[in-house]
Amino acid sequence: MTYMEWFEAHAKKHEEIIKILTHLSDDEVIDYFIYENMQEKHPDFCLLYEENTKCHDIKELNCYFCACNHFRFADDGLKKEGDRTVYSLCSIDAKEGKTYESEDAIHQDCSACLIPHKRSVIKKYFSRDWREVMKEYNSYNKLNNHTIIGS
Ligand code: SF4
């Protein structure tokens, strides 16, 4: 699954859930996306639910964003670093962020970063429109006047 395929599939799932929560306030919507409630009510929202595991082993894990609004990606690559292509990066260079690196590729590794799962962060960037929250996913290239590699 490419980054974009995951992005589109997740946006659709999120949209379908938001449609049935119009009776809830924004705070209640955020609480609704607590891991345990989502696992019970929307088991297909995340593959980890059926494995009863969490992407981050924290008590109050919130699945509202799942992805992160600081995450930048391009399936054709964002930039070159030597012979390797950078496919994703963190736009705020979070200290918990790491990278997966192979001979020819570099991907952002967010496995140790809790930023998008914190209630305070979700509240700060909250929108019922998940695409609106994530709209900057491809802004890296515009920002740096880079042409997407291979575009
Ligand atoms: S390292 Fe953290 S802040 Fe940066 S993109 Fe990943 S989850 Fe977001």
Side-chain angles (χ1 to χ4, degrees), residues 102-113:
S102 66
E103 217 173 294
D104 57 2
I106 299 173
H107 293 268
Q108 179 67 25
D109 171 5
C110 302
S111 59
C113 183

Side-chain angles (χ1 to χ4, degrees), residues 13 16 36 44 46 48 56 74 86 90 119 130 135 137 142 144 149:
K13 284 194 273 185
E16 288 310 310
E36 287 76 12
D44 65 344
C46 172
L48 297 178
H56 300 277
V86 177
C90 173
R119 197 177 195 291
W130 185 85
K135 68 180 181 220
Y137 74 85
K142 279 183 244 151
N144 296 279
I149 296 169

Side-chain angles (χ1 to χ4, degrees), residues 53 74 86 88 95 132:
T53 57
V86 177
S88 56
K95 66 179 183 339
E132 174 62 27

Side-chain angles (χ1 to χ4, degrees), residues 7 18 31 36-37 40 56 74 85 102 119 128 135-136:
F7 186 94
I18 290 295
D31 291 340
E36 287 76 12
N37 186 55
E40 182 199 324
H56 300 277
T85 302
S102 66
R119 197 177 195 291
R128 288 181 187 231
K135 68 180 181 220
E136 297 295 330

